[in-house]
Amino acid sequence: MKVALIRKEYTLSWGGAESYVVHLSRYLAERGHTVHVFANTWDLPSDPRITFHRVPMLAFYSPLKNLTFAFATKRLLKKEQFDIVNGFSQAY
């Protein structure tokens, strides 16, 4: 399956949802699924089994940050076809 996972931050440094997405992406990749992560930032070494897409967003005002992240994610998702799209933050 081709899976898209969406979270603003992809990290193990903090947050439950952030850590969950990291572990889920690795788990799915280990089982042979095609995994794409859509995030604004990540602080882990690249994993050749996972494709990362940097989602631009404004960072200075919280509601605008969420809105720009959602719109940018939607635009990026339209470029490909996925079997599953799972958002763990304001996705679209």
Side-chain angles (χ1 to χ4, degrees), residues 4-38:
L5 302 176
I6 304 165
R7 182 69 193 167
K8 282 186 252 170
E9 299 89 8
Y10 183 86
T11 184
L12 290 173
S13 299
W14 71 85
E18 292 81 3
S19 297
Y20 180 78
V21 172
V22 171
H23 293 298
L24 178 60
S25 65
R26 291 175 178 172
Y27 178 86
L28 292 170
E30 286 171 5
R31 277 142 190 85
H33 298 287
T34 302
V35 180
H36 290 248
V37 172
F38 292 80

Side-chain angles (χ1 to χ4, degrees), residues 4-92:
L5 302 176
I6 304 165
R7 182 69 193 167
K8 282 186 252 170
E9 299 89 8
Y10 183 86
T11 184
L12 290 173
S13 299
W14 71 85
E18 292 81 3
S19 297
Y20 180 78
V21 172
V22 171
H23 293 298
L24 178 60
S25 65
R26 291 175 178 172
Y27 178 86
L28 292 170
E30 286 171 5
R31 277 142 190 85
H33 298 287
T34 302
V35 180
H36 290 248
V37 172
F38 292 80
N40 177 258
T41 60
W42 53 87
D43 61 3
L44 300 168
S46 63
D47 185 328
R49 304 168 303 172
I50 301 170
T51 302
F52 289 91
H53 302 267
R54 185 171 305 278
V55 179
M57 69 179 188
L58 296 176
F60 59 87
Y61 180 60
S62 184
L64 204 51
K65 177 171 58 173
N66 293 336
L67 187 62
T68 57
F69 181 81
F71 282 126
T73 301
K74 185 175 182 179
R75 188 181 71 245
L76 291 170
L77 285 170
K78 285 183 177 181
K79 294 180 179 181
E80 299 195 41
Q81 294 256 313
F82 294 96
D83 298 308
I84 296 174
V85 176
N86 196 342
F88 295 89
S89 54
Q90 297 78 5
Y92 64 92

